Amino acid sequence: MMKILVPVKRVIDYNVKIRVNSEGSAVETNNVKMSMNPFDEIAVEEAVRLKEAGLAEEIIIVSIGDKGSQETIRTAFAMGGDRGVHIVNDLNTEPLVVAKILKNLIEKETIDIVIMGKQAIDDDSNQTGQMLAALLDWPQATFASKLELNDNQIKVIREIDGGLETLNVKLPCIVTTDLRLNEPRYASLPNIMKAKKKEIIEIPIEETGVDFSSRLEVLKVEEPEIRSGGRKVEDVNELISVLKNEVGVI
Ligand code: AMP
């Protein structure tokens, strides 16, 4: 029976209006609502559906981050995850380091399928799944909008520019989720209660054996330029006159 790994990242909630910190070095995360990365919620949902269909046996949730990540793992438990691993790192962990840590865990746990987000909405890297596939030398199907597991392979449909692309990947493999794959469920109260009892193993990043020093350096983080407001014109004549005389584009 299949074992599925779902890596989930704790990020600023997608509804929060982002602010840059006073040093201009990062986005402000103090006193800001944090949630599971939306693409990872979709990944958890898909794993739970495979388990409910009797196609998978166990769903392992892993998160790399500060102590708040435990709450994110419990959210995944309340949706149907079985047990968790929390790799503790107070700083943001860059994609290559995340991929190396996941690789070690996958080899230890003998995982069949990794379902993960196509990108984390905090730094929009869109790298971890691809790097992990390369490190493991596993096939990957990125940006999945539909997924079907049959025996030893997964059929994945991807939305591409010209239409839909269908891929078959052999297990073990990596799948990354796109927005339309499914609609994640809301956890019920009994499931939230049950989630409190599920096991999370905590491992400090220093004990993973992975070199977690940064290869990326953030030079500066800036707010986008504030747009000047628009204005209404009375009629076409005024519009043409404004475009000609004020904006100077015709
Ligand atoms: P990224 O490459 O950073 O855009 O992230 C792509 C996916 O990798 C996310 O949707 C998560 O599934 C996974 N991921 C990235 N960072 C972490 C992390 N710190 N902990 C757990 N999973 C992560």
Side-chain angles (χ1 to χ4, degrees), residues 7-9 37 40 62-64 95 98 116-120 125-128:
V8 299
K9 187 175 188 188
N37 181 43
D40 303 351
V62 53
S63 191
I64 303 159
V98 174
M116 56 201 289
K118 71 167 180 181
Q119 78 194 55
S125 295
N126 173 229
Q127 295 177 2
T128 310

Side-chain angles (χ1 to χ4, degrees), residues 36-176:
M36 190 189 304
N37 181 43
F39 293 108
D40 303 351
E41 271 187 11
I42 295 172
V44 175
E45 175 66 35
E46 200 63 24
V48 174
R49 288 185 189 186
L50 290 174
K51 189 177 167 187
E52 285 172 344
L55 298 170
E57 191 180 33
E58 193 179 32
I59 301 168
I60 303 167
I61 308 293
V62 53
S63 191
I64 303 159
D66 64 13
K67 63 178 187 312
S69 304
Q70 297 235 353
E71 189 192 303
T72 309
I73 295 175
R74 299 239 175 251
T75 306
F77 285 170
M79 292 171 71
D82 294 302
R83 63 185 167 88
V85 180
H86 173 207
I87 310 289
V88 188
N89 183 11
D90 286 340
L91 302 173
N92 191 31
T93 317
E94 61 189 48
L96 183 59
V97 177
V98 174
K100 286 179 177 172
I101 292 172
L102 294 177
K103 175 179 187 270
N104 287 352
L105 189 67
I106 287 161
E107 287 171 346
K108 207 171 108 215
E109 294 275 0
T110 57
I111 298 292
D112 302 284
I113 310 171
V114 181
I115 309 181
M116 56 201 289
K118 71 167 180 181
Q119 78 194 55
I121 61 162
D122 51 2
D123 34 38
D124 279 347
S125 295
N126 173 229
Q127 295 177 2
T128 310
Q130 295 88 329
M131 284 177 167
L132 179 60
L135 290 173
L136 288 163
D137 200 17
W138 282 11
Q140 58 177 315
T142 54
F143 298 31
S145 64
K146 194 166 187 291
L147 177 163
E148 241 177 69
L149 171 61
N150 300 305
D151 300 328
N152 242 0
Q153 55 182 15
I154 296 187
K155 187 162 101 179
V156 169
I157 297 184
R158 318 173 63 232
E159 288 172 15
I160 57 168
D161 268 359
L164 299 176
E165 180 182 58
T166 306
L167 293 179
N168 255 333
V169 281
K170 289 218 169 75
L171 302 191
C173 68
I174 315 278
V175 176
T176 73

